[in-house]
Amino acid sequence: MSGEQKISWKFGKRDAVFLTVIATVILVLVLGTSERTTKAVPNDQNHLAVTKLSECMSCHGAQGMRPRPLGHIKGGQCFQCHTQPKAWKGMPK
Ligand code: HEC
Ligand code: HEC
């Protein structure tokens, strides 16, 4: 019983690959938890004057002067993702 079944383990190439994969996954997860970086709504005359969501869309709709990027969420509460300007008074619905 002794000797023959001895399991010897050495740190090999496959272990190195495995550890690298695990380390990469952990790194990606940790880095992914950082602050959101979605752009804030600019603090300028265009934006301070707005009080309705439909007004946002007159400039940021498909025909507007600055359409949202392709694949951007269609409706939604803009301020859930884009921080509103500090001096802003409106409340788009
Ligand atoms: C009168 C037209 C106009 C209206 C109304 C308007 N925007 Fe804008 N918006 C612009 C323009 C032009 C820019 C681009 C650049 C800038 O001002 O720095 C911009 C930029 C932005 C940006 C940042 C993108 C960037 O390039 O930095 C966000 C976010 C945004 N607008 C959200 C909104 C939201 C939310 C509303 C409604 C509350 C709104 N806008 C209403 C014209 C408008
Ligand atoms: C679910 C989150 C979310 C909501 C809600 C949302 N946006 Fe965005 N928006 C984004 C992301 C993400 C981007 C792309 C990159 C960035 O701005 O950092 C973006 C980009 C934009 C840009 C272009 C920025 C540029 O770089 O030129 C504009 C303009 C914009 N959004 C306007 C709006 C408006 C107006 C609304 C409300 C109708 C709105 N967004 C609602 C997440 C959102």
Side-chain angles (χ1 to χ4, degrees):
M1 255 292 244
S2 66
E4 274 173 28
Q5 298 246 320
K6 205 171 80 185
I7 300 162
S8 66
W9 181 80
K10 272 196 257 153
F11 188 84
K13 208 173 176 184
R14 302 179 81 206
D15 300 302
V17 170
F18 179 72
L19 279 181
T20 310
V21 169
I22 299 294
T24 309
V25 168
I26 291 173
L27 194 69
V28 166
L29 290 177
V30 168
L31 293 180
T33 57
S34 57
E35 285 280 306
R36 323 185 281 212
T37 53
T38 312
K39 279 178 185 157
V41 177
N43 196 10
D44 61 13
Q45 285 315 307
N46 272 346
H47 293 90
L48 292 181
V50 183
T51 54
K52 282 207 221 78
L53 188 58
S54 56
E55 291 177 52
C56 309
M57 298 317 291
S58 70
C59 295
H60 293 298
Q63 316 304 325
M65 59 160 94
R66 189 161 177 115
R68 289 161 303 164
L70 222 65
H72 187 281
I73 182 174
K74 283 292 174 290
Q77 296 283 310
C78 314
F79 298 136
Q80 272 176 6
C81 303
H82 303 281
T83 330
Q84 58 204 74
K86 280 220 170 58
W88 190 74
K89 297 184 192 72
M91 179 57 81
K93 288 263 157 58

XYZ file of all heavy atoms in Angstrom:
798
model
N 0.823 -1.198 0.000
C 0.000 0.000 0.000
C 0.863 1.258 0.000
O 0.441 2.302 -0.437
C -0.889 0.004 1.267
C -2.342 -0.347 0.961
S -3.196 0.865 0.006
C -4.468 1.416 1.116
N 2.031 1.103 0.522
C 2.830 2.320 0.655
C 3.712 2.520 -0.570
O 4.183 1.573 -1.184
C 3.690 2.254 1.911
O 4.639 1.217 1.739
N 3.911 3.766 -0.906
C 4.844 4.084 -1.986
C 4.203 4.122 -3.360
O 4.248 5.145 -4.037
N 3.542 3.001 -3.730
C 3.056 2.902 -5.103
C 2.045 3.989 -5.469
O 2.053 4.546 -6.549
C 2.414 1.533 -5.312
C 3.431 0.483 -5.702
C 2.787 -0.902 -5.724
O 1.565 -0.954 -5.965
O 3.496 -1.888 -5.484
N 1.105 4.249 -4.546
C 0.030 5.187 -4.849
C 0.363 6.633 -4.464
O -0.515 7.468 -4.437
C -1.229 4.756 -4.087
C -1.715 3.385 -4.494
C -3.056 3.453 -5.193
O -3.912 4.220 -4.802
N -3.245 2.672 -6.235
N 1.577 6.833 -4.172
C 1.936 8.186 -3.730
C 1.596 9.222 -4.806
O 1.936 9.051 -5.970
C 3.440 8.243 -3.410
C 3.762 9.333 -2.413
C 5.208 9.240 -1.937
C 6.131 9.855 -2.964
N 7.537 9.699 -2.651
N 0.868 10.214 -4.392
C 0.503 11.265 -5.332
C 1.512 12.397 -5.212
O 1.605 13.028 -4.177
C -0.904 11.819 -5.025
C -1.934 10.682 -5.139
C -1.249 12.951 -5.964
C -3.236 10.980 -4.460
N 2.250 12.562 -6.259
C 3.193 13.684 -6.194
C 2.674 14.813 -7.065
O 2.194 14.605 -8.174
C 4.575 13.233 -6.661
O 4.525 12.898 -8.031
N 2.699 15.978 -6.526
C 2.186 17.136 -7.270
C 3.278 18.167 -7.401
O 3.964 18.522 -6.441
C 0.984 17.709 -6.518
C 0.390 18.883 -7.220
C -0.457 18.845 -8.274
C 0.619 20.252 -6.927
N -0.770 20.108 -8.658
C -0.130 20.994 -7.851
C 1.408 20.918 -5.972
C -0.132 22.382 -7.855
C 1.393 22.302 -5.985
C 0.632 23.023 -6.910
N 3.446 18.601 -8.622
C 4.422 19.676 -8.837
C 3.722 20.802 -9.557
O 2.794 20.583 -10.334
C 5.593 19.158 -9.688
C 6.685 18.526 -8.843
C 7.957 18.383 -9.647
C 8.150 16.941 -10.106
N 8.925 16.794 -11.306
N 4.156 21.958 -9.290
C 3.568 23.121 -9.945
C 3.985 23.125 -11.415
O 5.142 23.298 -11.754
C 4.058 24.401 -9.258
C 3.349 25.623 -9.749
C 2.116 25.971 -9.207
C 3.894 26.423 -10.732
C 1.457 27.099 -9.657
C 3.231 27.548 -11.189
C 2.010 27.887 -10.648
N 3.007 22.846 -12.275
C 3.330 22.698 -13.698
C 2.754 23.822 -14.536
O 2.156 24.767 -14.034
N 2.885 23.656 -15.827
C 2.434 24.664 -16.794
C 0.917 24.891 -16.703
O 0.446 26.017 -16.711
C 2.782 24.144 -18.188
C 3.030 25.228 -19.214
C 3.538 24.571 -20.486
C 3.724 25.543 -21.619
N 4.135 24.830 -22.850
N 0.165 23.760 -16.577
C -1.287 23.887 -16.559
C -1.765 24.626 -15.309
O -2.755 25.334 -15.344
C -1.935 22.511 -16.646
C -1.509 21.770 -17.899
C -2.136 20.396 -17.960
N -3.497 20.446 -18.452
C -4.423 19.552 -18.155
N -4.141 18.554 -17.339
N -5.627 19.645 -18.662
N -1.055 24.425 -14.213
C -1.415 25.149 -12.990
C -1.178 26.647 -13.176
O -1.964 27.470 -12.732
C -0.580 24.634 -11.814
C -0.817 23.154 -11.590
O -1.975 22.769 -11.365
O 0.156 22.385 -11.678
N -0.110 26.958 -13.846
C 0.208 28.363 -14.090
C -0.888 29.008 -14.945
O -1.368 30.103 -14.654
C 1.561 28.482 -14.776
N -1.311 28.274 -15.995
C -2.372 28.785 -16.867
C -3.648 28.992 -16.063
O -4.286 30.047 -16.127
C -2.634 27.804 -18.036
C -3.885 28.206 -18.796
C -1.432 27.761 -18.965
N -4.001 27.992 -15.253
C -5.204 28.068 -14.428
C -5.163 29.283 -13.500
O -6.114 30.062 -13.437
C -5.335 26.777 -13.614
C -6.514 26.751 -12.717
C -7.805 26.613 -13.240
C -6.361 26.852 -11.343
C -8.901 26.585 -12.413
C -7.461 26.836 -10.505
C -8.736 26.700 -11.039
N -4.051 29.453 -12.830
C -3.927 30.582 -11.909
C -4.010 31.922 -12.638
O -4.615 32.872 -12.148
C -2.598 30.490 -11.143
C -2.610 29.534 -9.947
C -1.256 29.540 -9.252
C -3.711 29.911 -8.964
N -3.430 31.975 -13.814
C -3.485 33.216 -14.590
C -4.927 33.563 -14.950
O -5.342 34.718 -14.841
C -2.653 33.077 -15.882
O -1.366 32.582 -15.535
C -2.523 34.406 -16.586
N -5.683 32.533 -15.364
C -7.084 32.762 -15.725
C -7.863 33.278 -14.519
O -8.583 34.275 -14.600
C -7.724 31.464 -16.283
C -9.232 31.629 -16.398
C -7.112 31.110 -17.626
N -7.713 32.625 -13.380
C -8.409 33.057 -12.162
C -8.043 34.495 -11.803
O -8.900 35.327 -11.520
C -8.053 32.130 -10.974
C -8.490 30.692 -11.264
C -8.688 32.630 -9.690
C -9.975 30.497 -11.373
N -6.749 34.796 -11.845
C -6.285 36.136 -11.493
C -6.887 37.182 -12.429
O -7.295 38.257 -11.992
C -4.756 36.191 -11.546
N -6.971 36.839 -13.725
C -7.527 37.781 -14.692
C -8.994 38.053 -14.403
O -9.442 39.193 -14.415
C -7.374 37.218 -16.121
O -6.022 36.833 -16.313
C -7.779 38.248 -17.150
N -9.745 36.977 -14.119
C -11.173 37.130 -13.837
C -11.371 38.035 -12.618
O -12.181 38.963 -12.638
C -11.835 35.753 -13.602
C -13.232 35.920 -13.026
C -11.881 34.970 -14.901
N -10.607 37.793 -11.561
C -10.740 38.610 -10.354
C -10.412 40.071 -10.657
O -11.131 40.978 -10.255
C -9.822 38.061 -9.233
C -10.372 36.705 -8.765
C -9.731 39.038 -8.071
C -9.474 35.982 -7.786
N -9.358 40.286 -11.414
C -8.944 41.648 -11.753
C -10.052 42.377 -12.514
O -10.390 43.515 -12.199
C -7.671 41.587 -12.594
C -6.932 42.914 -12.741
C -6.331 43.305 -11.399
C -5.838 42.801 -13.788
N -10.642 41.691 -13.501
C -11.709 42.299 -14.300
C -12.892 42.663 -13.404
O -13.455 43.755 -13.505
C -12.155 41.341 -15.430
C -13.471 41.798 -16.030
C -11.082 41.266 -16.508
N -13.256 41.764 -12.503
C -14.389 42.032 -11.608
C -14.102 43.217 -10.699
O -14.957 44.065 -10.478
C -14.707 40.784 -10.776
C -15.309 39.621 -11.552
C -15.510 38.419 -10.652
C -16.642 40.020 -12.191
N -12.905 43.276 -10.168
C -12.558 44.379 -9.260
C -12.564 45.711 -10.007
O -13.143 46.687 -9.550
C -11.180 44.133 -8.612
C -10.684 45.386 -7.921
C -11.273 42.994 -7.611
N -11.957 45.742 -11.177
C -11.906 46.986 -11.943
C -13.301 47.416 -12.377
O -13.590 48.592 -12.498
C -11.004 46.821 -13.168
C -9.520 46.631 -12.864
C -8.722 46.478 -14.148
C -8.988 47.808 -12.052
N -14.191 46.429 -12.612
C -15.540 46.734 -13.076
C -16.389 47.448 -12.048
O -17.406 48.034 -12.384
N -16.007 47.424 -10.791
C -16.827 48.041 -9.757
C -16.503 49.520 -9.544
O -17.030 50.135 -8.645
C -16.640 47.316 -8.412
O -15.268 47.345 -8.072
C -17.134 45.900 -8.464
N -15.655 50.081 -10.380
C -15.299 51.490 -10.172
C -16.481 52.406 -10.526
O -17.485 51.977 -11.055
C -14.092 51.854 -11.018
O -14.370 51.597 -12.372
N -16.341 53.681 -10.241
C -17.381 54.690 -10.479
C -17.903 54.658 -11.912
O -17.158 54.390 -12.841
C -16.785 56.079 -10.231
C -16.596 56.404 -8.768
C -17.882 56.844 -8.115
O -18.503 57.780 -8.633
O -18.275 56.230 -7.112
N -19.202 55.000 -12.083
C -19.707 55.129 -13.437
C -19.086 56.341 -14.092
O -18.788 57.323 -13.432
C -21.210 55.408 -13.523
C -22.112 54.800 -12.621
C -23.526 55.165 -13.025
N -23.887 56.503 -12.593
C -25.124 56.825 -12.252
N -26.073 55.947 -12.320
N -25.397 58.048 -11.886
N -18.990 56.256 -15.406
C -18.343 57.349 -16.103
C -19.237 57.971 -17.161
O -18.754 58.689 -18.019
C -17.044 56.862 -16.768
O -17.355 55.725 -17.562
C -16.006 56.506 -15.743
N -20.529 57.704 -17.111
C -21.428 58.317 -18.080
C -21.340 59.837 -17.966
O -21.243 60.374 -16.872
C -22.872 57.860 -17.818
O -22.885 56.457 -17.652
C -23.753 58.232 -18.968
N -21.370 60.496 -19.123
C -21.185 61.948 -19.127
C -22.309 62.672 -18.401
O -23.471 62.293 -18.509
C -21.129 62.443 -20.569
C -19.755 62.230 -21.158
C -19.711 62.680 -22.604
C -18.370 62.338 -23.201
N -18.433 62.248 -24.666
N -21.966 63.720 -17.696
C -22.964 64.550 -17.025
C -23.646 65.440 -18.054
O -23.117 65.680 -19.137
C -22.291 65.393 -15.965
N -24.840 65.906 -17.716
C -25.496 66.894 -18.557
C -24.720 68.206 -18.397
O -24.446 68.623 -17.273
C -26.964 67.078 -18.117
C -27.644 68.155 -18.944
C -27.708 65.758 -18.226
N -24.345 68.853 -19.514
C -23.533 70.076 -19.395
C -24.271 71.180 -18.638
O -25.486 71.273 -18.707
C -23.306 70.479 -20.857
C -23.582 69.264 -21.661
C -24.590 68.464 -20.911
N -23.518 71.972 -17.922
C -24.075 73.056 -17.121
C -24.046 74.338 -17.956
O -23.334 75.279 -17.646
C -23.232 73.206 -15.854
C -23.936 74.030 -14.798
O -25.115 74.343 -14.915
N -23.206 74.395 -13.764
N -24.838 74.363 -19.042
C -24.810 75.541 -19.922
C -26.234 76.026 -20.193
O -27.202 75.440 -19.715
C -24.075 75.207 -21.232
C -24.751 74.089 -22.013
O -25.901 73.732 -21.685
O -24.128 73.545 -22.940
N -26.363 77.117 -20.941
C -27.679 77.714 -21.198
C -28.644 76.735 -21.860
O -29.802 76.662 -21.486
C -27.538 78.984 -22.052
C -27.014 80.168 -21.259
C -27.697 80.302 -19.902
O -28.915 80.348 -19.806
N -26.897 80.331 -18.839
N -28.156 75.964 -22.836
C -28.995 74.965 -23.495
C -29.698 74.098 -22.470
O -30.890 73.816 -22.587
C -28.132 74.030 -24.356
C -27.927 74.573 -25.751
O -28.622 75.487 -26.165
N -26.971 74.009 -26.465
N -28.961 73.689 -21.474
C -29.468 72.662 -20.574
C -30.178 73.212 -19.361
O -31.106 72.598 -18.852
C -28.335 71.705 -20.198
C -27.887 70.907 -21.372
N -26.884 71.327 -22.203
C -28.362 69.741 -21.888
C -26.742 70.458 -23.196
N -27.623 69.480 -23.026
N -29.767 74.394 -18.880
C -30.423 74.955 -17.707
C -31.840 75.397 -18.035
O -32.702 75.466 -17.166
C -29.614 76.132 -17.158
C -28.274 75.709 -16.556
C -27.524 76.903 -16.010
C -28.460 74.656 -15.498
N -32.098 75.701 -19.312
C -33.409 76.205 -19.711
C -34.450 75.094 -19.827
O -35.648 75.367 -19.811
C -33.294 76.941 -21.039
N -34.013 73.858 -19.934
C -34.925 72.764 -20.240
C -35.735 72.333 -19.015
O -35.188 72.207 -17.927
C -34.136 71.543 -20.737
C -35.069 70.424 -21.120
C -33.267 71.930 -21.903
N -37.050 72.121 -19.196
C -37.840 71.614 -18.075
C -38.610 70.357 -18.433
O -39.284 69.789 -17.594
C -38.847 72.667 -17.581
O -39.635 73.099 -18.685
C -38.134 73.853 -16.961
N -38.567 69.933 -19.678
C -39.323 68.742 -20.064
C -38.456 67.779 -20.849
O -37.597 68.190 -21.621
C -40.512 69.131 -20.951
C -41.680 69.687 -20.204
C -42.953 69.405 -20.997
C -43.928 70.570 -20.994
N -43.529 71.642 -21.953
N -38.735 66.494 -20.683
C -38.011 65.472 -21.411
C -38.170 65.666 -22.920
O -37.221 65.476 -23.676
C -38.549 64.099 -21.006
C -37.780 62.895 -21.520
C -36.337 62.948 -21.063
C -38.443 61.610 -21.030
N -39.368 66.090 -23.345
C -39.597 66.263 -24.773
C -38.687 67.357 -25.329
O -38.328 67.337 -26.500
C -41.066 66.598 -25.029
O -41.439 67.738 -24.289
N -38.295 68.313 -24.465
C -37.358 69.345 -24.920
C -35.962 68.767 -25.129
O -35.267 69.153 -26.065
C -37.313 70.503 -23.919
C -38.602 71.302 -23.892
C -38.557 72.402 -22.826
O -37.592 73.174 -22.823
O -39.481 72.444 -21.997
N -35.560 67.865 -24.276
C -34.276 67.186 -24.481
C -34.268 66.567 -25.866
O -33.276 66.637 -26.591
C -34.047 66.056 -23.472
S -34.270 66.473 -21.746
N -35.408 65.948 -26.207
C -35.444 65.185 -27.438
C -35.447 66.070 -28.678
O -35.094 65.623 -29.748
C -36.663 64.257 -27.449
C -36.640 63.232 -26.324
S -35.009 62.484 -26.105
C -34.930 61.531 -27.611
N -35.822 67.345 -28.539
C -35.796 68.228 -29.701
C -34.356 68.439 -30.157
O -34.114 68.718 -31.324
C -36.491 69.555 -29.384
O -35.725 70.302 -28.473
N -33.410 68.319 -29.272
C -32.001 68.421 -29.673
C -31.311 67.059 -29.744
O -30.429 66.854 -30.557
C -31.231 69.295 -28.691
S -31.768 71.014 -28.686
N -31.735 66.145 -28.894
C -31.036 64.853 -28.828
C -31.791 63.734 -29.524
O -31.369 62.589 -29.486
C -30.751 64.482 -27.375
C -29.753 65.405 -26.733
N -28.469 65.534 -27.188
C -29.871 66.263 -25.692
C -27.830 66.423 -26.446
N -28.653 66.889 -25.529
N -32.952 64.044 -30.120
C -33.647 63.059 -30.938
C -32.914 62.851 -32.253
O -31.941 63.541 -32.546
N -33.402 61.897 -33.034
C -32.718 61.533 -34.271
C -32.557 62.734 -35.211
O -31.550 62.846 -35.909
C -33.480 60.420 -34.963
N -33.553 63.655 -35.220
C -33.482 64.807 -36.125
C -32.827 66.019 -35.468
O -32.722 67.065 -36.079
C -34.886 65.217 -36.601
C -35.794 64.076 -37.014
C -35.168 63.210 -38.095
O -34.445 63.700 -38.969
N -35.426 61.908 -38.043
N -32.451 65.903 -34.219
C -31.934 67.054 -33.486
C -30.532 67.452 -33.896
O -29.912 66.816 -34.746
N -30.047 68.516 -33.265
C -28.707 69.009 -33.592
C -27.616 68.101 -33.038
O -26.495 68.092 -33.525
C -28.515 70.431 -33.046
C -28.687 70.540 -31.534
S -27.904 72.024 -30.879
C -29.253 73.172 -30.868
N -27.959 67.353 -32.001
C -26.969 66.435 -31.427
C -27.631 65.123 -31.021
O -27.924 64.893 -29.853
C -26.295 67.081 -30.223
C -25.129 66.242 -29.743
C -24.185 67.018 -28.904
N -23.148 66.120 -28.435
C -21.889 66.237 -28.786
N -21.513 67.183 -29.606
N -21.007 65.400 -28.311
N -27.871 64.261 -32.016
C -28.559 62.994 -31.724
C -27.733 62.140 -30.766
O -26.513 62.246 -30.741
C -28.657 62.311 -33.093
C -28.245 63.311 -34.103
C -27.484 64.389 -33.422
N -28.442 61.339 -29.997
C -27.726 60.416 -29.116
C -27.033 59.356 -29.977
O -27.455 59.112 -31.106
C -28.712 59.756 -28.154
C -29.247 60.721 -27.113
C -30.505 60.206 -26.487
N -31.519 59.954 -27.521
C -32.585 59.245 -27.346
N -32.830 58.702 -26.184
N -33.445 59.070 -28.327
N -26.010 58.712 -29.447
C -25.276 57.728 -30.244
C -26.172 56.564 -30.649
O -27.174 56.297 -29.998
C -24.166 57.249 -29.305
C -24.221 58.094 -28.096
C -25.487 58.848 -28.086
N -25.766 55.891 -31.680
C -26.462 54.704 -32.149
C -26.519 53.667 -31.040
O -25.529 53.450 -30.355
C -25.705 54.132 -33.351
C -26.557 53.638 -34.521
C -27.292 54.819 -35.142
C -25.664 52.981 -35.556
N -27.670 53.050 -30.858
C -27.773 52.017 -29.835
C -28.024 52.571 -28.456
O -28.125 51.822 -27.502
N -28.145 53.875 -28.329
C -28.463 54.483 -27.037
C -29.882 54.085 -26.640
O -30.736 53.930 -27.493
C -28.337 56.002 -27.160
C -28.489 56.735 -25.856
N -29.704 56.986 -25.284
C -27.560 57.259 -25.030
C -29.507 57.646 -24.149
N -28.222 57.822 -23.967
N -30.118 53.955 -25.349
C -31.443 53.620 -24.839
C -32.456 54.630 -25.376
O -32.161 55.808 -25.485
C -31.423 53.610 -23.293
C -32.773 53.213 -22.746
C -30.999 54.962 -22.732
C -32.767 53.037 -21.231
N -33.658 54.141 -25.726
C -34.599 54.996 -26.446
C -35.243 56.064 -25.563
O -35.178 57.231 -25.824
C -35.699 54.143 -27.100
C -35.234 53.454 -28.356
C -34.970 54.448 -29.489
C -34.372 53.783 -30.709
N -32.982 53.344 -30.484
N -35.883 55.685 -24.513
C -36.523 56.686 -23.665
C -35.761 56.813 -22.379
O -34.570 57.026 -22.363
N -36.460 56.671 -21.304
C -35.788 56.596 -20.014
C -35.625 57.942 -19.350
O -35.764 58.990 -19.964
N -35.361 57.889 -18.069
C -35.096 59.084 -17.296
C -33.636 59.429 -17.501
O -32.762 58.778 -16.942
C -35.389 58.802 -15.825
C -36.849 58.486 -15.551
C -37.708 59.732 -15.553
O -37.382 60.702 -14.901
N -38.786 59.711 -16.304
N -33.387 60.483 -18.252
C -32.022 60.844 -18.613
C -31.132 60.944 -17.373
O -29.982 60.535 -17.396
C -32.009 62.180 -19.331
S -33.258 62.331 -20.616
N -31.703 61.497 -16.303
C -30.871 61.812 -15.138
C -30.518 60.598 -14.293
O -29.722 60.706 -13.373
C -31.562 62.870 -14.281
C -31.755 64.155 -15.012
C -32.945 64.841 -14.944
C -30.735 64.675 -15.796
C -33.120 66.027 -15.639
C -30.898 65.861 -16.499
C -32.100 66.539 -16.425
N -31.139 59.443 -14.595
C -30.693 58.241 -13.905
C -29.256 57.913 -14.288
O -28.531 57.288 -13.522
C -31.590 57.056 -14.263
C -32.786 56.944 -13.356
C -33.705 55.828 -13.804
O -33.399 55.075 -14.725
N -34.845 55.738 -13.158
N -28.896 58.305 -15.487
C -27.559 57.958 -15.960
C -26.674 59.181 -16.158
O -25.482 59.119 -15.915
C -27.666 57.182 -17.269
S -28.676 55.700 -17.126
N -27.245 60.289 -16.627
C -26.463 61.513 -16.841
C -26.774 62.470 -15.694
O -27.909 62.919 -15.562
C -26.847 62.167 -18.169
C -26.687 61.269 -19.356
N -25.467 61.031 -19.946
C -27.592 60.544 -20.064
C -25.632 60.208 -20.968
N -26.907 59.890 -21.065
N -25.793 62.772 -14.893
C -26.028 63.652 -13.743
C -26.542 65.009 -14.204
O -26.017 65.578 -15.153
C -24.722 63.884 -12.969
O -23.913 62.735 -13.106
C -24.989 64.169 -11.517
N -27.529 65.521 -13.512
C -28.065 66.815 -13.919
C -27.175 67.942 -13.411
O -26.491 67.800 -12.411
C -29.488 66.989 -13.416
C -29.654 66.885 -11.919
C -31.073 66.482 -11.568
O -31.452 65.344 -11.742
N -31.842 67.414 -11.089
N -27.220 69.090 -14.132
C -26.383 70.218 -13.710
C -26.815 70.743 -12.346
O -27.988 70.681 -11.992
C -26.615 71.271 -14.798
C -27.722 70.781 -15.650
C -27.946 69.342 -15.372
N -25.872 71.296 -11.598
C -26.133 71.748 -10.224
C -27.211 72.813 -10.152
O -28.075 72.783 -9.285
C -24.841 72.307 -9.615
C -23.910 71.223 -9.128
C -23.246 71.605 -7.819
C -22.512 70.420 -7.229
N -21.484 69.909 -8.198
N -27.141 73.786 -11.066
C -28.045 74.937 -10.990
C -29.400 74.660 -11.626
O -30.229 75.541 -11.747
C -27.384 76.132 -11.677
N -29.647 73.426 -12.008
C -30.816 73.107 -12.800
C -32.091 73.073 -11.966
O -32.093 72.571 -10.844
C -30.582 71.753 -13.464
C -31.569 71.386 -14.488
C -31.667 71.899 -15.746
C -32.595 70.426 -14.361
N -32.693 71.305 -16.412
C -33.276 70.395 -15.583
C -33.014 69.574 -13.336
C -34.359 69.553 -15.820
C -34.090 68.735 -13.572
C -34.749 68.727 -14.803
N -33.208 73.618 -12.518
C -34.432 73.714 -11.733
C -35.582 72.861 -12.248
O -36.544 72.627 -11.533
C -34.904 75.171 -11.676
C -33.901 76.062 -10.978
C -34.454 77.475 -10.847
C -33.382 78.456 -10.432
N -32.418 78.715 -11.536
N -35.522 72.459 -13.507
C -36.635 71.736 -14.106
C -36.772 70.323 -13.577
O -35.983 69.881 -12.762
N -37.786 69.638 -14.032
C -38.009 68.256 -13.619
C -38.678 67.503 -14.761
O -39.887 67.355 -14.778
C -38.899 68.225 -12.362
C -39.210 66.828 -11.850
S -37.748 65.866 -11.475
C -37.356 66.519 -9.868
N -37.892 67.087 -15.737
C -38.486 66.421 -16.902
C -39.280 65.190 -16.497
O -38.838 64.436 -15.631
C -37.275 66.008 -17.739
C -36.155 66.843 -17.259
C -36.429 67.149 -15.822
N -40.426 65.029 -17.121
C -41.234 63.846 -16.850
C -41.283 62.979 -18.095
O -41.223 63.491 -19.180
C -42.648 64.268 -16.469
C -42.681 64.881 -15.072
C -43.095 63.832 -14.042
C -42.615 64.209 -12.652
N -43.109 65.498 -12.204
C -31.188 73.400 -27.249
C -30.690 72.064 -27.541
C -30.484 71.096 -26.407
C -31.398 70.699 -25.453
C -32.839 71.198 -25.263
C -30.743 69.707 -24.636
N -29.470 69.501 -25.081
Fe -28.104 68.185 -24.293
N -26.675 68.905 -25.561
C -26.898 69.841 -26.573
C -25.644 70.051 -27.255
C -25.448 71.003 -28.442
C -24.676 69.235 -26.597
C -23.232 69.111 -26.946
C -22.169 69.747 -26.386
C -22.146 70.696 -25.269
O -23.078 71.453 -24.976
O -21.091 70.709 -24.638
C -25.361 68.528 -25.540
C -24.767 67.625 -24.681
C -25.445 66.791 -23.794
C -24.867 65.742 -22.992
C -23.427 65.388 -22.881
C -22.877 64.802 -24.072
C -21.527 65.340 -24.371
O -21.180 65.294 -25.537
O -20.812 65.803 -23.455
C -25.854 65.156 -22.281
C -25.753 63.989 -21.318
C -27.069 65.855 -22.613
N -26.789 66.841 -23.523
C -28.297 65.570 -22.072
C -29.415 66.371 -22.214
C -30.641 66.223 -21.438
C -30.884 65.158 -20.385
C -31.492 67.205 -21.846
C -32.893 67.518 -21.284
C -32.937 67.831 -19.859
C -30.812 67.972 -22.884
N -29.567 67.450 -23.076
C -31.358 69.050 -23.582
C -28.091 70.434 -26.891
C -29.259 70.335 -26.158
C -29.640 53.724 -18.917
C -28.723 54.832 -18.874
C -28.995 56.034 -19.766
C -30.153 56.765 -19.856
C -31.485 56.585 -19.124
C -29.866 57.833 -20.797
N -28.571 57.726 -21.255
Fe -27.637 58.960 -22.585
N -25.978 57.779 -22.575
C -25.806 56.675 -21.756
C -24.501 56.101 -22.046
C -23.924 54.872 -21.353
C -23.927 56.910 -23.070
C -22.596 56.717 -23.762
C -21.410 57.194 -23.213
C -21.270 58.295 -22.244
O -21.979 59.304 -22.284
O -20.354 58.194 -21.430
C -24.871 57.959 -23.367
C -24.653 58.976 -24.289
C -25.499 60.053 -24.488
C -25.213 61.207 -25.337
C -23.998 61.422 -26.182
C -22.806 61.720 -25.403
C -21.647 62.025 -26.315
O -20.590 61.484 -26.034
O -21.811 62.767 -27.261
C -26.277 62.047 -25.258
C -26.448 63.398 -25.977
C -27.234 61.442 -24.365
N -26.727 60.228 -23.921
C -28.457 61.989 -24.042
C -29.441 61.352 -23.280
C -30.789 61.857 -23.113
C -31.337 63.164 -23.716
C -31.443 60.968 -22.314
C -32.915 61.003 -21.869
C -33.905 60.891 -22.949
C -30.506 59.899 -21.970
N -29.312 60.172 -22.595
C -30.799 58.816 -21.160
C -26.706 56.185 -20.830
C -28.001 56.629 -20.645
